[in-house]
């Protein structure tokens, strides 16, 4: 079982940067597992935007590739999402998510299937 606690987010202007953090607590620290981020915007489909596979490789949605970066501090079990060059279309509720150990993830949409979710954090980008 994995518990996720998020922090970060807030409001920023177009072109600015924000960092999201997600602390993972698990009783099984020996098996690697996928983690990632997806976002929700009212009136739009949920969008998986970034995922970090068990082997450390990362995958991004086209909408954020080159602007967002996912990383993990494995020693402290913290997942990050560095968001640069923000746009108003990035305004959304952002969720971190984790897969069960033993499963791979090679595309960001997989985050929408992950069973463990953070509480969500709002990001608002103004023009």
């Amino acid at each position: 079982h994995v518990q996720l606690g998020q922090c970060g987010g807030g409001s920023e202007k177009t072109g600015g940067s924000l960092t999201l953090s997600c602390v993972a607590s698990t009783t099984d620290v020996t098996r690697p597992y996928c983690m990632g981020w997806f976002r929700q915007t009212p009136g739009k489909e949920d969008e998986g935007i970034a995922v970090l596979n068990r082997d450390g490789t990362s995958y991004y949605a086209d909408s954020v590739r080159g602007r967002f970066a996912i990383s993990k501090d494995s020693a402290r079990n913290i997942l990050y999402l560095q968001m640069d060059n923000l746009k108003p279309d990035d305004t959304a509720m952002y969720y971190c998510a984790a897969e069960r150990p033993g499963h791979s993830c090679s595309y960001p949409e997989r985050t929408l299937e992950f069973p463990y979710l953070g509480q969500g954090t709002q990001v608002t980008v103004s023009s």
Side-chain angles (χ1 to χ4, degrees), residues 16-84:
S17 298
L18 288 171
T19 303
L20 305 182
S21 302
C22 176
V23 180
S25 301
T26 175
T27 55
D28 186 354
V29 297
T30 62
R31 301 172 66 190
Y33 51 94
C34 293
M35 296 186 73
W37 298 90
F38 69 91
R39 61 189 181 186
Q40 290 185 334
T41 305
K44 296 183 180 179
E45 289 188 2
D46 294 352
E47 181 184 20
I49 58 173
V51 70
L52 194 63
N53 205 349
R54 296 177 299 164
D55 62 1
T57 55
S58 55
Y59 303 89
Y60 298 93
D62 290 344
S63 59
V64 305
R65 186 178 296 113
R67 300 187 298 119
F68 291 10
I70 188 172
S71 62
K72 184 179 180 183
D73 181 339
S74 296
R76 297 193 295 168
N77 242 1
I78 302 175
L79 184 73
Y80 297 100
L81 185 67
Q82 176 65 39
M83 303 184 294
D84 297 324

Side-chain angles (χ1 to χ4, degrees), residues 11-17 85-87 124-127:
S11 299
E12 186 55 82
K13 294 185 178 180
T14 297
S17 298
N85 192 19
L86 284 163
K87 304 176 180 180
T124 302
V125 184
S126 58
S127 57

